[in-house]
């Protein structure tokens, strides 16, 4: 095997293992439970998972998606998150190359996966992810791109912009528009990616949100209620910005040269 193949395979395996841990976060964080204790168990019968029940995807497949003891169904979310995490890890190394920037970007991607899944199910973006996310993003930016100045501007502007939009919407309509979670999440995005890619994320998420919104309206006819919470769009847009943002900006700004 060549070195790059080994890195690819290594990151694929790491992605599966990390995905398994992200499942625990997604399952427990919305309820404010510890992600360390107790060990994973079946929510139906309390069966404590053994080490051989914990192989990502494989265990699920071998058990036919059922608890070893009581045969209750295990959510398909578990293998899906593991496979998605693996795929995202592999795409990162393909797109960004074997570069030290992989470290912060993979950490960032993990946070986005967890936020996406929790927001989708609970309409919630937990502070225990977004707030440490801001700090970790800034810490990485002390040494790595986008650099601390870009990151600080990104975090402050990112949080500020959405806060202003939410505040204006609230004054105007009396309805809480943006959750506070969105504000903190965009601050985190700014801290990891810097202000330029944070702005790009905002634009991409609006486009994505509009497209999906129109599709939902067309299919359901009426029903102005959002089908998906904004954090899910922010997650997808931030992932695209993290991977392809530099190229998108180059392409876009190229028109003005
Ligand atoms: Zn069980």
């Amino acid at each position: 095997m060549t070195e790059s193949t080994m890195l690819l395979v290594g990151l694929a395996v790491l992605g599966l293992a990390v995905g398994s841990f992200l499942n625990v976060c997604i399952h427990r964080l919305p309820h404010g439970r510890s992600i360390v204790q107790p060990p994973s168990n079946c929510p139906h019968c309390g069966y404590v998972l053994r080490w051989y029940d914990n192989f990502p995807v494989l265990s699920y497949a071998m058990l036919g998606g059922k608890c070893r003891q009581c045969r209750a169904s295990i959510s398909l979310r578990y293998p899906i998150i593991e496979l998605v995490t693996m795929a995202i890890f592999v795409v990162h190394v393909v797109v960004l190359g074997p570069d030290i920037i992989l470290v912060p970007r993979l950490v960032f991607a993990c946070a986005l996966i967890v936020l996406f899944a929790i927001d989708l199910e609970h309409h919630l973006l937990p502070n225990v992810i977004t707030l440490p996310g801001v700090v970790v993003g800034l810490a990485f930016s002390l040494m790595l791109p986008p650099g601390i100045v870009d990151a600080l501007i990104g975090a402050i502007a990112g949080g500020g912009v959405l806060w202003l939009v939410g505040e204006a919407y609230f004054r105007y309509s009396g309805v809480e528009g943006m959750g506070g979670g969105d504000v903190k999440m965009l601050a985190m995005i700014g801290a990891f990616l810097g202000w330029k890619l944070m702005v790009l994320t905002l634009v991409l998420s609006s486009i994505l949100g509009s497209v999906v919104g129109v599709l939902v309206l067309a299919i359901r006819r009426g029903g102005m209620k959002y089908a998906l919470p904004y954090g899910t769009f922010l997650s997808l847009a931030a992932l695209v910005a993290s991977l392809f943002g530099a190229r998108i900006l180059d392409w876009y700004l190229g028109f003005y040269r």
Side-chain angles (χ1 to χ4, degrees), residues 42 45 67 70:
C42 169
C45 69
C67 168
C70 73

Side-chain angles (χ1 to χ4, degrees), residues 107-121:
V107 171
F108 182 55
C110 289
L112 294 177
I113 293 168
V114 173
L115 288 170
F116 177 93
I118 293 180
D119 203 27
L120 186 66
E121 191 175 351

Side-chain angles (χ1 to χ4, degrees), residues 42 44-47 67-72:
C42 169
H44 298 275
C45 69
Y47 169 76
C67 168
R68 186 183 291 278
Q69 185 168 281
C70 73
R71 312 300 298 159

